[in-house]
Amino acid sequence: MVFCIISSYLPSVLNFRGKLLEAIHAQGFEIHILSPDLEQFAAEHKQLENFGYYVHAIPMQRTGTNPIADLKTLWAMRAIITKIKPDYVLAYTIKPVIYGTLAAWLAKVPQRFALITGLGYAFQNVEAEGGRSIFQKLVHGLYRQALVRSSKAFFQNPDDLALFKQLNLITQATPAVVVNGSGVNVSDFNVVPLPLDNTHQIRISFLLIARLLGDKGVREFAAAAAIIKQSNPEVEFNLVGWIDENPAAISQHELDHWVADKTINYWGKLSDVRPAIAESSIYVLPSYREGTPRTVLEAMAMGRAIITTDAPGCRETVVDGENGYLVPVKSVESLVEAMRKFIDDPELAEKMGQRSREIALTKYDVHEVNKHMMTEMGLI
């Protein structure tokens, strides 16, 4: 039996689907991976091949809407899929879901699954404003065509599923299942003590890990940092991530300004985020919308309190007042208020961090999430 996964970014196969593929491979499946830009990710490519997987290069522009380029992607994927003859195909993120699912359908793959890991730019402001741009209507139409040809669609939070139904992008003809994100391997993210200051008291430091996009709440994080620094200059604000090719990306000038003003400690892009989490006492993600944010789950597994938004995907990770606080999207004032609770009572960070670990263990363990998905796909 052959299982094929389609991704737009090879490192995410290891980071987000690695344990899933490992479990499927253990069931005796031959694993094939389709992804672009293999030459840029030689280490990941080699690691996946060392696991016994087959990795295939596909032409794909991660961003942009060039119809000729996207058709080239579709036909290239169809050719590879026709050759390897998979019994199951799983595609995730926007272009793999759209073009990968259509390619699998054209290649007559019996079981085709779509995993909606987040909505991103194509769904920005759709709920708030009601109207849709021409670009959004185009993308949504393509989603509809792909999902009607899917055997089943997985969503990482109930809000995304509800929006897809509201926009008529998924119908009753396609079964839909909500899973608890991508999960987190809790054994890889052990609880570590909170950082201490020179007097051996809990040192309050806030951390955000994200692609540096406006809709991740990076600007709100920096604005809140600037306000708090006026009265509490000792409080640290740490940022991990990188500027992505995306219409919503922050500018290099903005980032340089925050660093020069000593508002933000910028640690760049890290291959291992655990040291950053260990050096921080509270994790913050002021995102406008997520599937289920993996960085939040990792911070929870390491025993960190969470401040995140009362937004789809984010709100599922926090029981407000138990393992952290939920704040309104784009509200710098509310973000500052939540941060001040930890500054005024540092013991909250320890108490809420313990609760975060409990939630990570019971709800987000990667092995349980993967077992759920494999059962729904008929692999076990």
Side-chain angles (χ1 to χ4, degrees), residues 44-277:
E44 291 86 351
H45 185 180
K46 184 176 181 180
Q47 189 173 351
L48 289 164
E49 288 188 330
N50 288 342
F51 291 151
Y53 307 158
Y54 299 89
V55 184
H56 307 269
I58 53 173
M60 180 187 293
Q61 297 177 351
R62 289 181 60 213
T63 59
T65 54
N66 183 322
I68 295 174
D70 288 346
L71 277 174
K72 184 180 178 181
T73 298
L74 173 64
W75 291 112
M77 287 194 290
R78 182 197 179 195
I80 295 170
I81 292 170
T82 300
K83 182 178 179 180
I84 63 179
K85 295 182 172 59
D87 303 281
Y88 301 82
V89 165
L90 172 66
Y92 69 98
T93 69
I94 180 169
K95 287 196 176 184
V97 165
I98 290 172
Y99 300 114
T101 303
L102 292 174
W105 173 73
L106 290 170
K108 297 181 171 57
V109 176
Q111 298 294 325
R112 305 174 297 274
F113 300 100
L115 172 59
I116 311 300
T117 55
L119 303 189
Y121 187 71
F123 290 84
Q124 195 168 350
N125 299 323
V126 168
E127 288 172 304
E129 298 176 2
R132 289 183 284 172
S133 68
I134 293 174
F135 165 74
Q136 288 175 323
K137 288 179 180 178
L138 171 64
V139 172
H140 297 176
L142 290 169
Y143 258 125
R144 187 181 300 112
Q145 292 302 314
L147 291 177
V148 78
R149 291 167 174 81
S150 299
S151 306
K152 186 172 289 183
F154 293 96
F155 290 80
Q156 294 195 331
N157 66 68
D159 295 284
D160 287 356
L161 173 57
L163 181 59
F164 268 57
K165 288 180 176 179
Q166 176 189 328
L167 297 174
N168 197 31
L169 307 189
I170 189 168
T171 67
Q172 292 183 346
T174 303
V177 177
V178 176
V179 296
N180 289 327
S182 303
V184 61
N185 190 11
V186 291
S187 61
D188 285 345
F189 289 85
N190 297 317
V191 175
V192 294
L194 295 175
L196 303 178
D197 61 21
N198 293 333
T199 64
H200 300 286
Q201 301 300 310
I202 294 172
R203 172 165 50 85
I204 296 300
S205 54
F206 299 96
L207 171 67
L208 166 59
I209 303 171
R211 287 182 297 153
L212 302 187
L213 306 176
D215 55 16
K216 294 293 184 183
V218 178
R219 291 188 180 95
E220 286 81 359
F221 181 73
I227 292 169
I228 286 178
K229 283 279 192 179
Q230 292 175 11
S231 57
N232 298 89
E234 77 286 355
V235 174
E236 297 177 355
F237 293 85
N238 306 317
L239 178 63
V240 171
W242 70 101
I243 296 176
D244 201 1
E245 293 181 6
N246 187 295
I250 70 162
S251 69
Q252 186 67 49
H253 175 74
E254 287 178 281
L255 178 59
D256 292 343
H257 177 70
W258 299 332
V259 173
D261 282 358
K262 297 184 178 179
T263 303
I264 295 291
N265 299 322
Y266 178 56
W267 292 344
K269 182 179 181 180
L270 301 179
S271 57
D272 184 354
V273 299
R274 287 173 293 187
I277 296 172

